Amino acid sequence: MPETVDLSQGAALYAQNCATCHGAELEGQPDWRTPGADGILPAPPHDDTGHTWHHSDAVLYNYTALGGDEVMARMGVTFDSGMPGFADSLTPQEIWNILAYIRSTWPDRIQEIQAVRTEAEISARGDR
């Protein structure tokens, strides 16, 4: 994550690019844990009821930039996630601003847990 983020821009970009699927209030689509008839899982919530906060910053960034299928393919998994990549339409800073906005809506305890996961991943990679 960059040292500075713009939460106002992140909120606006979320509304423009993410809310259609993930909900204006970050609530996700109904029955998001159950695949639809097409086999694709509905968009999950990004509030504290979902699993977004279970992932590190790097995973969230890559999933947003590259899309779910590409991220999973890089891990050797074939999975039709329904999540498109936004690297062609959003700058890296804009993606980070969206992620920072989403994070800012979580309770402090959830933010702390997610930060620990991010730090653990960075340490495991040796990115210090």
Side-chain angles (χ1 to χ4, degrees):
M1 168 126 358
E3 287 188 28
T4 60
V5 291
D6 184 334
L7 294 179
S8 295
Q9 183 192 58
L13 288 169
Y14 177 89
Q16 294 167 3
N17 296 279
C18 313
T20 300
C21 294
H22 292 282
E25 302 297 320
L26 296 93
E27 72 276 13
Q29 295 176 335
D31 299 321
W32 62 274
R33 291 182 178 101
T34 305
D38 58 4
I40 298 174
L41 288 166
H46 287 316
D47 61 16
D48 61 336
T49 68
H51 62 79
T52 305
W53 60 272
H54 295 189
H55 303 292
S56 70
D57 287 349
V59 168
L60 296 175
Y61 178 87
N62 288 331
Y63 215 84
T64 306
L66 303 173
D69 293 353
E70 178 63 23
V71 168
M72 298 306 283
R74 290 180 180 196
M75 295 188 308
V77 177
T78 302
F79 179 70
D80 191 355
S81 77
M83 172 68 177
F86 287 89
D88 291 339
S89 59
L90 296 170
T91 68
Q93 184 65 53
E94 288 172 331
I95 293 171
W96 285 119
N97 289 345
I98 292 168
L99 295 174
Y101 161 69
I102 291 168
R103 182 181 300 103
S104 75
T105 69
W106 299 335
D108 290 344
R109 182 183 72 74
I110 298 294
Q111 289 185 44
E112 291 167 12
I113 291 168
Q114 194 271 337
V116 167
R117 290 184 178 171
T118 294
E119 187 61 35
E121 183 177 287
I122 290 169
S123 295
R125 285 193 323 248
D127 287 357
R128 294 249 126 295

